[in-house]
């Protein structure tokens, strides 16, 4: 039977999964126009640098890394992260967890509340398949729903109690609420295993508030340890950290790293970006000695590794170029894409640095408005490479992202599973 045809953008005329899987054998190069644009590409040496950087960072702190898989939802990238020493993979939904389990991830932290029978069934299958699985709880109601279901299945579900902040997302707001959740878990002894405490500091915006919140988590886990609240035979976990404040989380949580497993969960480090996470990483380098030491060890801080390339479609008036890339192709919630490369097929031998005066000012579904000086050397058919802000909401626009080397030779296609 012939393989079903698929029609992914960015991969030219390839129509089957078998053809796409073998794309690295074709000798293709983005700059020779072998890929149909727009195309999203990962620059392999930068991805590998970022893997080394974060591995070095967590090792220096003596903590563990469970990178958040929701950023890429790419099983091939999960495998690279696990091969680099990750403790496990963090995910946000039952469907995402199914994807990771199906591709060989055997330790999953679902940094979210698991709600609903169909989602319970998905996780039950994951546990039955041999994966060590953790999820979060923040209310007795949810605890009892989970306890009833998994007791009925004859399975044990590992849970972390989530601490939250007023005005934030999920999580208990007070010690009294936390105690009620812990007491509820104890009622399902044998079906629910309390394994630790979790927080997400990204809902707060200043370091002082974050440190106070993290201190509450440390105090809570210590108190629960003294009370013997955690499941016997299980490693106690204290987990936190998105991609902007992971250094502060490591700094505070490292105080208890000898007593339990501290697990950090940044996801965007793998590709970084040219927007919000470049700014966040610069601030990390300014305030954190270990981050600066890692920069020195690795030769640089995290690098922007995800690019979206597109053609100039029109130069309809002086000072304006219209590029064939839009909201269907690139994130726009946390800053617009930045043109960094300019290549004219048949003229340039290699990409030139785009002028800093070239500015993306507006995105429509399939078009970008690029303001340029009136005398800018930019023509229809020119290829532009853009760095992005917020990789999570760029990856989810692509069924396949292409891995390339620094010369833009195509190495492989990375499927995503959003």
């Amino acid at each position: 039977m012939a393989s079903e045809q698929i029609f992914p953008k960015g991969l030219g005329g390839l129509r089957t999964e078998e053809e796409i899987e073998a794309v690295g054998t074709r000798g293709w190069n983005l700059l020779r126009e072998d890929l149909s644009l727009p195309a999203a590409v990962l620059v392999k040496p930068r991805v590998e640098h970022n893997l080394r950087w974060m591995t070095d960072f967590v090792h220096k702190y003596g903590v563990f890394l469970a990178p958040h898989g929701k950023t890429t939802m790419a099983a091939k990238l999960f495998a690279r992260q696990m091969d680099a020493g990750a403790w496990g993979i963090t995910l946000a939904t039952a469907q995402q967890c199914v994807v990771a389990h199906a591709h060989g991830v055997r330790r999953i932290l679902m940094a979210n509340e698991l709600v609903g029978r169909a989602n319970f069934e998905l996780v039950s299958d994951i546990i039955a398949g041999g994966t060590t699985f953790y999820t979060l709880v923040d209310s007795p109601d949810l605890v009892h729903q989970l306890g009833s279901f998994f007791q009925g299945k004859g399975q044990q579900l590992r849970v972390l109690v989530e601490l939250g902040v007023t005005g934030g997302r999920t999580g208990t707001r007070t010690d009294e609420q936390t105690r009620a959740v812990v007491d509820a878990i104890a009622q399902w002894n044998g079906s629910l295993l309390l394994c630790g405490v979790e927080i997400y500091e990204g809902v707060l915006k200043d370091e002082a508030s974050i440190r106070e919140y993290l201190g509450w988590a440390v105090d809570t886990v210590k108190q629960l340890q003294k009370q013997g609240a955690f499941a016997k035979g299980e490693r106690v976990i204290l987990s936190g950290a998105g991609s902007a404040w992971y250094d502060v989380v490591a700094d505070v949580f490292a105080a208890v790293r000898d007593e339990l497993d501290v697990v950090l969960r940044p996801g965007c480090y793998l590709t970084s970006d040219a927007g919000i996470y470049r700014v966040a990483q610069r601030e990390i380098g300014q305030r954190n000695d270990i981050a600066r030491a890692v920069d020195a060890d690795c030769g640089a801080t995290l690098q922007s590794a995800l690019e979206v390339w597109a053609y100039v479609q029109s130069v309809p008036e002086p000072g304006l170029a219209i590029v064939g890339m839009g909201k269907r192709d690139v994130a726009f919630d946390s800053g617009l894409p930045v043109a960094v490369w300019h290549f004219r097929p048949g003229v340039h031998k290699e990409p030139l640095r785009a002028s800093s005066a070239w500015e993306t000012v507006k995105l429509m579904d399939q078009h970008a408005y690029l303001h340029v000086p009136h005398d800018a050397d930019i023509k229809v058919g020119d290829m532009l490479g853009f760095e992005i802000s917020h990789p999570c909401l760029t990856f989810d626009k692509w069924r396949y992202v292409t891995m390339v080397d620094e010369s833009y030779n195509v190495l492989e296609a990375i499927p995503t599973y959003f």
Side-chain angles (χ1 to χ4, degrees):
M1 179 182 292
S3 297
E4 178 184 359
Q5 285 199 330
I6 54 179
F7 301 90
K9 60 185 179 180
L11 284 172
L14 303 186
R15 291 289 175 266
T16 68
E17 291 183 353
E18 291 78 10
E19 289 177 331
I20 293 168
E21 182 65 26
V23 69
T25 67
R26 290 176 172 266
W28 279 9
N29 183 283
L30 181 147
L31 302 176
R32 290 199 301 267
E33 301 186 88
D34 293 321
L35 298 178
S36 51
L37 303 190
V41 300
L42 288 169
V43 183
K44 184 178 180 179
R46 300 179 216 164
V47 172
E48 292 176 339
H49 167 88
N50 293 345
L51 281 168
R52 289 192 301 272
W53 194 101
M54 189 57 73
T55 298
D56 194 8
F57 180 85
V58 296
H59 283 173
K60 278 181 163 57
Y61 262 110
V63 299
F64 295 98
L65 177 67
H68 211 314
K70 72 177 176 64
T71 298
T72 68
M73 281 309 298
K76 286 186 175 182
L77 298 181
F78 296 170
R80 281 178 163 86
Q81 292 170 307
M82 295 298 295
D83 289 345
W87 172 91
I89 298 293
T90 298
L91 294 150
T93 70
Q95 176 270 337
Q96 292 174 2
C97 295
V98 168
V99 169
H101 171 75
H103 289 89
V105 177
R106 291 297 174 260
R107 186 186 279 137
I108 293 172
L109 170 53
M110 180 174 157
N112 207 352
E113 279 66 22
L114 176 65
V115 179
R117 186 187 60 79
N119 291 325
F120 295 171
E121 292 283 0
L122 292 177
V123 168
S124 176
D125 290 343
I126 290 171
I127 294 171
T131 288
T132 301
F133 179 90
Y134 302 85
T135 188
L136 311 183
V137 290
D138 69 351
S139 69
D141 284 346
L142 178 57
V143 167
H144 294 313
Q145 290 170 26
L146 291 168
S148 177
F149 178 87
F150 284 95
Q151 184 182 72
K153 288 285 187 177
Q155 292 177 312
Q156 293 182 320
L157 178 68
R158 294 174 173 87
V159 298
L160 311 182
V161 61
E162 181 173 28
L163 310 184
V165 296
T166 301
R169 299 192 317 200
T170 47
T172 62
R173 277 21 180 190
T174 66
D175 289 334
E176 291 73 21
Q177 290 176 346
T178 303
R179 184 73 252 172
V181 172
V182 171
D183 289 346
I185 294 168
Q187 296 176 39
W188 296 97
N189 184 32
S191 298
L192 300 183
L193 304 177
L194 179 60
C195 295
V197 172
E198 186 273 352
I199 59 93
Y200 174 60
E201 77 293 340
V203 296
L204 298 170
K205 302 305 179 187
D206 67 272
E207 184 175 347
S209 297
I210 289 170
R211 285 185 177 273
E212 181 180 1
Y213 178 33
L214 299 173
W216 178 37
V218 170
D219 291 343
T220 299
V221 78
K222 286 182 174 180
Q223 188 64 28
L224 292 174
Q225 282 181 309
K226 289 180 181 178
Q227 295 168 357
F230 294 117
K232 300 295 187 292
E234 295 287 327
R235 289 290 298 175
V236 177
I237 294 168
L238 179 60
S239 180
S243 296
W245 296 97
Y246 61 84
D247 64 310
V248 177
V249 178
D251 197 47
V252 175
F253 284 2
V256 292
R257 66 190 175 196
D258 294 334
E259 306 164 34
L260 46 77
D261 291 343
V262 173
V263 179
L264 306 186
R265 309 191 308 271
C268 294
Y269 77 90
L270 187 64
T271 65
S272 193
D273 70 11
I276 54 175
Y277 292 114
R278 176 172 289 172
V279 172
Q281 189 66 17
R282 185 182 304 126
E283 293 174 349
I284 288 169
Q286 291 169 350
R287 67 180 174 243
N288 187 275
D289 291 340
I290 286 184
R292 290 194 295 274
V294 177
D295 289 349
D297 290 347
C298 294
T301 190
L302 296 178
Q303 300 178 356
S304 180
L306 175 61
E307 298 176 354
V308 177
W309 282 73
Y311 288 113
V312 176
Q313 288 188 323
S314 179
V315 186
E317 60 191 66
L320 177 65
I322 303 299
V323 182
M325 170 197 73
K327 294 179 179 179
R328 300 290 182 92
D329 310 302
V330 67
F332 54 92
D333 65 310
S334 300
L336 298 182
V338 178
V340 293
W341 299 114
H342 176 212
F343 184 78
R344 184 166 295 158
V347 177
H348 295 156
K349 292 184 178 181
E350 60 185 22
L352 307 178
R353 275 287 175 184
S355 169
S356 60
W358 297 6
E359 181 184 8
T360 307
V361 296
K362 180 180 179 181
L363 291 181
M364 299 185 75
D365 281 1
Q366 311 285 180
H367 299 89
Y369 288 63
L370 189 70
H371 278 183
V372 299
H374 285 204
D375 60 351
D377 180 20
I378 190 166
K379 295 182 178 180
V380 171
D382 285 357
M383 300 167 67
L384 301 182
F386 291 81
E387 292 182 342
I388 58 92
S389 181
H390 200 180
C392 303
L393 295 189
T394 297
F395 272 102
D396 70 357
K397 294 169 173 56
W398 296 88
R399 184 168 179 178
Y400 289 90
V401 177
T402 305
M403 186 77 80
V404 299
D405 64 18
E406 286 283 13
S407 298
Y408 293 95
N409 295 305
V410 174
L411 304 176
E412 64 177 316
I414 307 289
T416 66
Y417 297 90
F418 288 98

